[in-house]
């Protein structure tokens, strides 16, 4: 005789393990974000002090304009670096969460398939049509989820390529404008 309680208990163990992984990853990612922001604040303070000291020692307008161009380019480069690092952190976190979701889905589908097989073997006579309908519905939903997952990965890859290209273009534009004003 098939015992569904054991299967559900196993699902619960897996869900608790996944929740624990997600909680640990969330804390780790929050720490990374905190360190990034703290470092950005330190850099901003240091650059502010440096630019204030440099501005205080300016002797003419040309020197002030050159100083302004230098610190503008430096500020843009710092902002781009911060944005790139933030994007990398979020992309890495998204990949980690997606990996856990994919593992959980694979485990879930495997577990449900095993439950359905065991239940169908102990099902009363004449219930073949209902069991086959459930199996068909489950297979269709699994295939739909797999297609959705593939499409999501393609969108993420396209967005990633677009963001990286935009960051590279912004970096090149900043470098070119810095050279022109120098």
């Amino acid at each position: 005789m098939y015992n569904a309680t054991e299967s559900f208990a196993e699902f619960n163990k897996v869900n608790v393990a996944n929740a624990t992984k997600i909680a640990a990853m969330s804390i780790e990612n929050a720490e990374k974000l905190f360190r990034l922001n703290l470092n950005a604040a330190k850099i901003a303070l240091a650059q502010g002090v440096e630019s204030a000291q440099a501005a205080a020692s300016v002797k003419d307008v040309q020197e002030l304009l050159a100083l302004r161009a230098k610190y503008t380019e430096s500020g843009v480069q710092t902002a781009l670096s911060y944005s790139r690092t933030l994007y990398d952190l979020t992309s890495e976190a998204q990949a980690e969460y997606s990996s856990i979701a994919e593992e959980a889905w694979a485990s879930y589908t495997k577990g449900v398939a095993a439950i359905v097989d065991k239940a169908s073997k102990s099902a009363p006579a004449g219930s073949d049509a209902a069991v086959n309908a459930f199996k068909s519905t489950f297979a269709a939903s699994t295939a739909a989820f797999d297609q959705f997952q593939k499409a999501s990965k393609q969108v993420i890859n396209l967005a990633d390529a677009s963001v990286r290209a935009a960051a590279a273009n912004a970096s090149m534009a900043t470098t070119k404008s810095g050279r022109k004003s120098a």
Side-chain angles (χ1 to χ4, degrees), residues 159-174:
D160 182 58
S162 296
V163 167
R164 292 189 187 279
N169 287 338
S171 181
M172 287 183 351
T174 303

Side-chain angles (χ1 to χ4, degrees), residues 98-103 105-106 142-156:
S98 292
S99 175
I100 286 180
E102 288 171 10
E103 288 173 20
W105 179 252
T142 301
F145 181 80
D146 290 342
Q147 287 300 321
F148 176 74
Q149 196 173 25
K150 288 177 185 175
S152 296
K153 284 182 181 180
Q154 289 175 344
V155 168
I156 289 169

Side-chain angles (χ1 to χ4, degrees), residues 34-113:
F34 176 77
R35 283 193 297 272
L36 173 67
N37 287 329
L38 184 62
N39 189 43
K42 287 179 181 179
I43 290 170
L45 177 64
Q47 286 178 340
V49 168
E50 180 184 333
S51 66
Q53 289 172 341
S57 66
V58 168
K59 294 181 180 45
D60 63 18
V61 174
Q62 290 296 344
E63 194 177 340
L64 180 63
L65 292 175
L67 186 66
R68 180 177 158 233
K70 173 187 170 189
Y71 283 108
T72 300
E73 183 178 346
S74 174
V76 169
Q77 289 296 335
T78 301
L80 283 172
S81 175
Y82 174 84
S83 297
R84 257 188 241 115
T85 304
L86 182 62
Y87 182 77
D88 289 343
L89 288 176
T90 55
S91 294
E92 180 183 316
Q94 182 271 330
E96 291 171 349
Y97 291 124
S98 292
S99 175
I100 286 180
E102 288 171 10
E103 288 173 20
W105 179 252
S107 174
Y108 170 76
T109 55
K110 186 177 175 183
V112 169

Side-chain angles (χ1 to χ4, degrees), residues 127-148:
S127 63
D128 292 345
V131 169
N132 288 336
F134 180 78
K135 284 182 178 180
S136 176
T137 302
F138 184 70
S141 66
T142 301
F145 181 80
D146 290 342
Q147 287 300 321
F148 176 74

